Amino acid sequence: MSEISASRAQVDGFLCSILRGESASWPAAACAEFENELLDRASHHGVAALIYGVVESNRGWNGWPDRIREELLKASRSAAAQDMLRSHTLEKLLTEFDKQGIRVLIIKGAALAVTLYEHSRLRTRSDTDLFIHFGDIERVCSSLSDLGLEILTPVYKNHQFVCAKKTTHGSLHFDIHWRIQNAPQYARVISFDEAWAKSVPVPGMAGAHMLNGVDALLLACLHLKGSQHHDEDRLIWLYDIHLLASSLSIESWNEFQRMVVEKGVGAACLDGLLKSRDSFSTEIPPGFIAALEASHPVQGRFASSNLALLIDDLRCLPGLRSRSILLKELFLPSPSALMARYEKGNRAWLPILYIRQVLGGVAKRLSLH
Amino acid sequence: MQPNLKVEVSPDVLSQEISGETVLLDLKSEGYFGLDKTATRIWQLLQENKSIEEVHSTMASEFDVDPEVLRADLEHHLKELEAAGLISICEAK
């Protein structure tokens, strides 16, 4: 028998077959290269703890090298510790927001971890995503500071900001979104008020809210498409889509179809669902694919342009102060940020860099995407 | 260690079990600790508010081990947990 080539596709295929619940028997001809590749890919895809959990619960370790099992167990221990610390910090945050009367939705991995996965540690994540109303940004920033979290990024220009709590083992990151998605073409697909009206309680977290299943599936699909830096085939995101799609009733599928067609994001959602089907045999109701294939993106220059979004941001944000901060973040960043961005060490460059920044910023706002 | 001593698990400690092992998180120090299968069983019994004598008695019935060796190991383990701030040892009421 020839040795199995440790190509990424083969390792990814093996990981998918385990998550599909098929036999997890270790390939008889697997070589050391395959073992190393499996650990690398499981980590890259964010599924190391999940793979351990699935194989362990199926008692499927037959033939697995001890080293691989031990490494996956290590990943699971680390995921468990992170999960406990994240949940505890999140609860403190939510309690503070509740005291201040601030509405917040837990979105993405942190919400899916406690609803779709057998245990929240199985859904590893590098941060916790929260969705807030744009009218609450200043109060949220103030509450975060009171709780000792440091805001690490500009608050307005990317429609989200990152804050962190330092711990003895590094920093815990929270992504605070005031638009559902950063990408301009998807930023206004679901407003906070719309999502809040349909939100559901988070199991085990008193008073906490999350997106309903239909909105969560829509966001999971857009998340795959929405960022230039993301790996669209990352298995943990595709598995989220698989679990979300598998949890929908026929009525919810109909609602999902109606919503994505109406919002002009059928193609993006179909892409995510088909990738999930390819990887995990996700069942998609008959007729759904044809309906989405026949749908069209929202047309028109202002439907998804950066300029339209900027105008809408300025219209939505409360008060002159937040609007002026947005414009400053976009066009007039601090000298140090500007010099770092353009990799210039000499302050003599600053006038030229500011001119370049303003012209570049204007050009970007006027572009379609 | 006196048999009537009782152990109180710190309210600042969270735990999760994985495959019979336990990961502990001390919220005060933000330190992580791992317990193997035997230590996990001790931890479970401590969480049930058992006295040290009761923990010893249960462990002796479940594991094939010399009672005196078990007592010494148990004491050593409890002192480690106490030093890490995960439990406190006090007189039974």
Side-chain angles (χ1 to χ4, degrees), chain A residues 149-160:
Chain A
L149 280 90
E150 186 185 356
I151 295 171
L152 303 176
T153 62
V155 170
Y156 293 95
K157 74 170 190 177
N158 296 320
H159 304 112
Q160 72 162 94

mmCIF file with all atom_site columns, all heavy atoms in Angstrom, chain A residues 149-160:
data_model
loop_
_atom_site.group_PDB
_atom_site.id
_atom_site.type_symbol
_atom_site.label_atom_id
_atom_site.label_alt_id
_atom_site.label_comp_id
_atom_site.label_asym_id
_atom_site.label_entity_id
_atom_site.label_seq_id
_atom_site.pdbx_PDB_ins_code
_atom_site.Cartn_x
_atom_site.Cartn_y
_atom_site.Cartn_z
_atom_site.occupancy
_atom_site.B_iso_or_equiv
_atom_site.pdbx_formal_charge
_atom_site.auth_seq_id
_atom_site.auth_comp_id
_atom_site.auth_asym_id
_atom_site.auth_atom_id
_atom_site.pdbx_PDB_model_num
ATOM 1   N N   . LEU A 1 149 ? -10.956 47.446 30.512 1.00 0.00 ? 149 LEU A N   1
ATOM 2   C CA  . LEU A 1 149 ? -10.605 47.013 29.153 1.00 0.00 ? 149 LEU A CA  1
ATOM 3   C C   . LEU A 1 149 ? -10.033 48.190 28.380 1.00 0.00 ? 149 LEU A C   1
ATOM 4   O O   . LEU A 1 149 ? -10.512 49.321 28.518 1.00 0.00 ? 149 LEU A O   1
ATOM 5   C CB  . LEU A 1 149 ? -11.829 46.446 28.419 1.00 0.00 ? 149 LEU A CB  1
ATOM 6   C CG  . LEU A 1 149 ? -12.170 45.007 28.804 1.00 0.00 ? 149 LEU A CG  1
ATOM 7   C CD1 . LEU A 1 149 ? -13.134 44.971 29.964 1.00 0.00 ? 149 LEU A CD1 1
ATOM 8   C CD2 . LEU A 1 149 ? -12.741 44.250 27.621 1.00 0.00 ? 149 LEU A CD2 1
ATOM 9   N N   . GLU A 1 150 ? -9.043  47.891 27.563 1.00 0.00 ? 150 GLU A N   1
ATOM 10  C CA  . GLU A 1 150 ? -8.380  48.942 26.795 1.00 0.00 ? 150 GLU A CA  1
ATOM 11  C C   . GLU A 1 150 ? -8.868  48.887 25.349 1.00 0.00 ? 150 GLU A C   1
ATOM 12  O O   . GLU A 1 150 ? -8.926  47.803 24.748 1.00 0.00 ? 150 GLU A O   1
ATOM 13  C CB  . GLU A 1 150 ? -6.867  48.711 26.842 1.00 0.00 ? 150 GLU A CB  1
ATOM 14  C CG  . GLU A 1 150 ? -6.072  49.829 26.208 1.00 0.00 ? 150 GLU A CG  1
ATOM 15  C CD  . GLU A 1 150 ? -4.575  49.502 26.153 1.00 0.00 ? 150 GLU A CD  1
ATOM 16  O OE1 . GLU A 1 150 ? -4.165  48.442 26.669 1.00 0.00 ? 150 GLU A OE1 1
ATOM 17  O OE2 . GLU A 1 150 ? -3.840  50.305 25.568 1.00 0.00 ? 150 GLU A OE2 1
ATOM 18  N N   . ILE A 1 151 ? -9.234  50.032 24.819 1.00 0.00 ? 151 ILE A N   1
ATOM 19  C CA  . ILE A 1 151 ? -9.671  50.086 23.421 1.00 0.00 ? 151 ILE A CA  1
ATOM 20  C C   . ILE A 1 151 ? -8.430  50.202 22.540 1.00 0.00 ? 151 ILE A C   1
ATOM 21  O O   . ILE A 1 151 ? -7.630  51.120 22.702 1.00 0.00 ? 151 ILE A O   1
ATOM 22  C CB  . ILE A 1 151 ? -10.648 51.252 23.204 1.00 0.00 ? 151 ILE A CB  1
ATOM 23  C CG1 . ILE A 1 151 ? -11.926 50.974 24.012 1.00 0.00 ? 151 ILE A CG1 1
ATOM 24  C CG2 . ILE A 1 151 ? -10.989 51.405 21.724 1.00 0.00 ? 151 ILE A CG2 1
ATOM 25  C CD1 . ILE A 1 151 ? -12.893 52.115 24.072 1.00 0.00 ? 151 ILE A CD1 1
ATOM 26  N N   . LEU A 1 152 ? -8.284  49.259 21.617 1.00 0.00 ? 152 LEU A N   1
ATOM 27  C CA  . LEU A 1 152 ? -7.021  49.141 20.871 1.00 0.00 ? 152 LEU A CA  1
ATOM 28  C C   . LEU A 1 152 ? -7.072  49.718 19.466 1.00 0.00 ? 152 LEU A C   1
ATOM 29  O O   . LEU A 1 152 ? -6.024  49.887 18.836 1.00 0.00 ? 152 LEU A O   1
ATOM 30  C CB  . LEU A 1 152 ? -6.627  47.655 20.756 1.00 0.00 ? 152 LEU A CB  1
ATOM 31  C CG  . LEU A 1 152 ? -6.474  46.882 22.066 1.00 0.00 ? 152 LEU A CG  1
ATOM 32  C CD1 . LEU A 1 152 ? -6.171  45.414 21.784 1.00 0.00 ? 152 LEU A CD1 1
ATOM 33  C CD2 . LEU A 1 152 ? -5.362  47.486 22.911 1.00 0.00 ? 152 LEU A CD2 1
ATOM 34  N N   . THR A 1 153 ? -8.253  49.972 18.960 1.00 0.00 ? 153 THR A N   1
ATOM 35  C CA  . THR A 1 153 ? -8.364  50.412 17.565 1.00 0.00 ? 153 THR A CA  1
ATOM 36  C C   . THR A 1 153 ? -9.255  51.646 17.473 1.00 0.00 ? 153 THR A C   1
ATOM 37  O O   . THR A 1 153 ? -9.984  51.951 18.425 1.00 0.00 ? 153 THR A O   1
ATOM 38  C CB  . THR A 1 153 ? -9.002  49.301 16.692 1.00 0.00 ? 153 THR A CB  1
ATOM 39  O OG1 . THR A 1 153 ? -10.321 49.059 17.197 1.00 0.00 ? 153 THR A OG1 1
ATOM 40  C CG2 . THR A 1 153 ? -8.186  48.024 16.726 1.00 0.00 ? 153 THR A CG2 1
ATOM 41  N N   . PRO A 1 154 ? -9.244  52.327 16.321 1.00 0.00 ? 154 PRO A N   1
ATOM 42  C CA  . PRO A 1 154 ? -10.234 53.399 16.132 1.00 0.00 ? 154 PRO A CA  1
ATOM 43  C C   . PRO A 1 154 ? -11.647 52.853 16.312 1.00 0.00 ? 154 PRO A C   1
ATOM 44  O O   . PRO A 1 154 ? -11.910 51.696 15.963 1.00 0.00 ? 154 PRO A O   1
ATOM 45  C CB  . PRO A 1 154 ? -9.995  53.837 14.684 1.00 0.00 ? 154 PRO A CB  1
ATOM 46  C CG  . PRO A 1 154 ? -8.595  53.440 14.383 1.00 0.00 ? 154 PRO A CG  1
ATOM 47  C CD  . PRO A 1 154 ? -8.341  52.186 15.172 1.00 0.00 ? 154 PRO A CD  1
ATOM 48  N N   . VAL A 1 155 ? -12.511 53.669 16.854 1.00 0.00 ? 155 VAL A N   1
ATOM 49  C CA  . VAL A 1 155 ? -13.853 53.185 17.226 1.00 0.00 ? 155 VAL A CA  1
ATOM 50  C C   . VAL A 1 155 ? -14.832 53.225 16.053 1.00 0.00 ? 155 VAL A C   1
ATOM 51  O O   . VAL A 1 155 ? -15.682 52.345 15.906 1.00 0.00 ? 155 VAL A O   1
ATOM 52  C CB  . VAL A 1 155 ? -14.388 54.025 18.410 1.00 0.00 ? 155 VAL A CB  1
ATOM 53  C CG1 . VAL A 1 155 ? -15.862 53.743 18.674 1.00 0.00 ? 155 VAL A CG1 1
ATOM 54  C CG2 . VAL A 1 155 ? -13.558 53.751 19.658 1.00 0.00 ? 155 VAL A CG2 1
ATOM 55  N N   . TYR A 1 156 ? -14.685 54.235 15.203 1.00 0.00 ? 156 TYR A N   1
ATOM 56  C CA  . TYR A 1 156 ? -15.751 54.496 14.232 1.00 0.00 ? 156 TYR A CA  1
ATOM 57  C C   . TYR A 1 156 ? -15.458 54.006 12.807 1.00 0.00 ? 156 TYR A C   1
ATOM 58  O O   . TYR A 1 156 ? -16.335 53.489 12.130 1.00 0.00 ? 156 TYR A O   1
ATOM 59  C CB  . TYR A 1 156 ? -16.062 55.991 14.192 1.00 0.00 ? 156 TYR A CB  1
ATOM 60  C CG  . TYR A 1 156 ? -16.678 56.500 15.474 1.00 0.00 ? 156 TYR A CG  1
ATOM 61  C CD1 . TYR A 1 156 ? -15.890 57.071 16.467 1.00 0.00 ? 156 TYR A CD1 1
ATOM 62  C CD2 . TYR A 1 156 ? -18.049 56.378 15.703 1.00 0.00 ? 156 TYR A CD2 1
ATOM 63  C CE1 . TYR A 1 156 ? -16.441 57.526 17.651 1.00 0.00 ? 156 TYR A CE1 1
ATOM 64  C CE2 . TYR A 1 156 ? -18.618 56.833 16.892 1.00 0.00 ? 156 TYR A CE2 1
ATOM 65  C CZ  . TYR A 1 156 ? -17.812 57.405 17.857 1.00 0.00 ? 156 TYR A CZ  1
ATOM 66  O OH  . TYR A 1 156 ? -18.376 57.840 19.031 1.00 0.00 ? 156 TYR A OH  1
ATOM 67  N N   . LYS A 1 157 ? -14.246 54.189 12.339 1.00 0.00 ? 157 LYS A N   1
ATOM 68  C CA  . LYS A 1 157 ? -14.044 54.095 10.887 1.00 0.00 ? 157 LYS A CA  1
ATOM 69  C C   . LYS A 1 157 ? -14.254 52.703 10.311 1.00 0.00 ? 157 LYS A C   1
ATOM 70  O O   . LYS A 1 157 ? -14.590 52.569 9.138  1.00 0.00 ? 157 LYS A O   1
ATOM 71  C CB  . LYS A 1 157 ? -12.675 54.638 10.491 1.00 0.00 ? 157 LYS A CB  1
ATOM 72  C CG  . LYS A 1 157 ? -11.497 53.752 10.829 1.00 0.00 ? 157 LYS A CG  1
ATOM 73  C CD  . LYS A 1 157 ? -10.241 54.316 10.165 1.00 0.00 ? 157 LYS A CD  1
ATOM 74  C CE  . LYS A 1 157 ? -9.096  53.352 10.251 1.00 0.00 ? 157 LYS A CE  1
ATOM 75  N NZ  . LYS A 1 157 ? -7.910  53.818 9.583  1.00 0.00 ? 157 LYS A NZ  1
ATOM 76  N N   . ASN A 1 158 ? -14.063 51.662 11.104 1.00 0.00 ? 158 ASN A N   1
ATOM 77  C CA  . ASN A 1 158 ? -14.230 50.294 10.583 1.00 0.00 ? 158 ASN A CA  1
ATOM 78  C C   . ASN A 1 158 ? -15.555 49.656 10.985 1.00 0.00 ? 158 ASN A C   1
ATOM 79  O O   . ASN A 1 158 ? -15.757 48.464 10.787 1.00 0.00 ? 158 ASN A O   1
ATOM 80  C CB  . ASN A 1 158 ? -13.079 49.409 11.044 1.00 0.00 ? 158 ASN A CB  1
ATOM 81  C CG  . ASN A 1 158 ? -11.750 49.865 10.478 1.00 0.00 ? 158 ASN A CG  1
ATOM 82  O OD1 . ASN A 1 158 ? -11.680 50.263 9.312  1.00 0.00 ? 158 ASN A OD1 1
ATOM 83  N ND2 . ASN A 1 158 ? -10.710 49.844 11.286 1.00 0.00 ? 158 ASN A ND2 1
ATOM 84  N N   . HIS A 1 159 ? -16.431 50.450 11.592 1.00 0.00 ? 159 HIS A N   1
ATOM 85  C CA  . HIS A 1 159 ? -17.739 49.965 12.048 1.00 0.00 ? 159 HIS A CA  1
ATOM 86  C C   . HIS A 1 159 ? -17.620 48.931 13.157 1.00 0.00 ? 159 HIS A C   1
ATOM 87  O O   . HIS A 1 159 ? -18.568 48.226 13.472 1.00 0.00 ? 159 HIS A O   1
ATOM 88  C CB  . HIS A 1 159 ? -18.563 49.383 10.886 1.00 0.00 ? 159 HIS A CB  1
ATOM 89  C CG  . HIS A 1 159 ? -18.729 50.358 9.780  1.00 0.00 ? 159 HIS A CG  1
ATOM 90  N ND1 . HIS A 1 159 ? -18.134 50.190 8.554  1.00 0.00 ? 159 HIS A ND1 1
ATOM 91  C CD2 . HIS A 1 159 ? -19.359 51.543 9.731  1.00 0.00 ? 159 HIS A CD2 1
ATOM 92  C CE1 . HIS A 1 159 ? -18.414 51.222 7.789  1.00 0.00 ? 159 HIS A CE1 1
ATOM 93  N NE2 . HIS A 1 159 ? -19.163 52.067 8.473  1.00 0.00 ? 159 HIS A NE2 1
ATOM 94  N N   . GLN A 1 160 ? -16.453 48.783 13.696 1.00 0.00 ? 160 GLN A N   1
ATOM 95  C CA  . GLN A 1 160 ? -16.232 47.921 14.845 1.00 0.00 ? 160 GLN A CA  1
ATOM 96  C C   . GLN A 1 160 ? -14.950 48.402 15.516 1.00 0.00 ? 160 GLN A C   1
ATOM 97  O O   . GLN A 1 160 ? -14.156 49.117 14.903 1.00 0.00 ? 160 GLN A O   1
ATOM 98  C CB  . GLN A 1 160 ? -16.049 46.465 14.438 1.00 0.00 ? 160 GLN A CB  1
ATOM 99  C CG  . GLN A 1 160 ? -14.705 46.219 13.768 1.00 0.00 ? 160 GLN A CG  1
ATOM 100 C CD  . GLN A 1 160 ? -14.304 44.770 13.742 1.00 0.00 ? 160 GLN A CD  1
ATOM 101 O OE1 . GLN A 1 160 ? -14.566 44.103 12.762 1.00 0.00 ? 160 GLN A OE1 1
ATOM 102 N NE2 . GLN A 1 160 ? -13.666 44.293 14.777 1.00 0.00 ? 160 GLN A NE2 1
#
